[in-house]
Amino acid sequence: MELYEAMRTTPATREFTEEPVSDEVLRRMLDNARFAPNGGNRQGWRVLVLKDPAARLKIRELYQLGWREYVAHVREGLVPFAAKDNGRWTGPAVDLAQARETPAPDAFGDNLEHVPALLLVLAEFGALATVDNGLDRQSIVGGGSIYPFCHNLLLAARNEGLGGVITSVLIRQEPAVKRLLGIPDGFGVAALIAIGHPRKVITKLRRAAVEDFTVVDRFDGSPF
């Protein structure tokens, strides 16, 4: 597939058929995705291919807890867990304990254990040159060495005639996920990626125009 076409036609796919994704295809995707840019070429990602039915079921249950927290924010008109204008998160904006007890139906999350392929992507903290540590705002830079790899997996899925989505909701239950899957200290959950044959192929995506987010020289400069 031509690169620009793939970039413009790779959606977040959350509905899949029951058709399996072979290990051969997954390995080919991973083999190509590994060439993603990353700081110092340290490749601080690790990938767990989740196959065990019992582990998948528990992952679904943990995901649902995080999803309920997410939805509780949305119900209040809030961006979930977003930092304030000062770049800091100052604490829960909703009652998280109550949120976790409040059902929030979601066709994707409620059937997560049935997704044809589930990849849990971990970040090795010691491999990330997190140069914004110590600034008076939340850190964002470390992810720049992990998420290009994750997006390469989505592009690889598109090239294979598959669909996928990068989800972060499971991170809300990271301690439980680490206990469940034997993940050692020094690693954190970066993403859960679901991959499969899409029930519906969506190729027309809506995004802001270039001039809406690109300016010349200064934040208040003229549109590019």
Side-chain angles (χ1 to χ4, degrees), residues 146-168:
I146 302 297
Y147 294 116
F149 167 75
C150 294
H151 191 253
N152 265 7
L153 284 171
L154 292 192
L155 292 175
R158 180 82 176 95
N159 192 59
E160 295 284 350
L162 303 171
V165 63
I166 301 169
T167 70
S168 57

Side-chain angles (χ1 to χ4, degrees), residues 4-207:
Y4 280 168
E5 179 187 358
M7 291 169 64
R8 297 174 73 103
T9 61
T10 300
T13 300
R14 295 180 175 86
E15 294 185 66
F16 308 100
T17 70
E18 295 180 359
E19 186 175 352
V21 177
S22 71
D23 287 353
E24 178 185 5
V25 169
L26 283 179
R27 181 175 177 81
R28 184 162 60 239
M29 291 168 55
L30 290 161
D31 190 36
N32 286 283
R34 66 192 171 99
F35 289 95
N38 62 96
N41 196 31
R42 285 179 288 272
Q43 300 167 58
W45 54 75
R46 297 291 186 276
V47 180
L48 278 63
V49 181
L50 302 181
K51 293 190 174 188
D52 178 65
R56 278 171 158 252
L57 179 59
K58 185 61 178 178
I59 288 293
R60 186 258 285 172
E61 293 171 351
L62 294 172
Y63 181 97
Q64 286 174 314
L65 295 177
W67 177 250
R68 291 173 182 180
E69 292 183 356
Y70 187 101
V71 170
H73 287 80
V74 175
R75 286 173 178 153
E76 297 298 323
L78 303 170
V79 178
F81 301 99
K84 305 297 184 182
D85 289 343
N86 64 2
R88 291 287 184 181
W89 184 64
T90 56
V94 300
D95 186 329
L96 296 180
Q98 180 179 346
R100 290 190 293 271
E101 297 295 327
T102 304
D106 171 55
F108 170 72
D110 294 346
N111 295 280
L112 192 61
E113 73 270 33
H114 302 302
V115 170
L118 282 177
L119 306 180
L120 187 72
V121 180
L122 308 177
E124 182 181 359
F125 297 126
L128 307 181
T130 313
V131 297
D132 59 351
N133 270 337
L135 296 183
D136 190 24
R137 62 162 175 79
Q138 68 180 29
S139 174
I140 60 174
V141 169
S145 289
I146 302 297
Y147 294 116
F149 167 75
C150 294
H151 191 253
N152 265 7
L153 284 171
L154 292 192
L155 292 175
R158 180 82 176 95
N159 192 59
E160 295 284 350
L162 303 171
V165 63
I166 301 169
T167 70
S168 57
V169 169
L170 186 64
I171 297 171
R172 292 296 307 164
Q173 292 292 317
E174 180 179 88
V177 173
K178 293 180 69 171
R179 288 193 298 270
L180 174 69
L181 302 176
I183 300 168
D185 292 341
F187 290 86
V189 178
L192 180 68
I193 302 180
I195 295 170
H197 293 267
R199 287 192 178 277
K200 181 180 180 180
V201 177
I202 300 173
T203 58
K204 188 173 182 179
L205 309 180
R206 294 191 300 272
R207 298 291 188 271

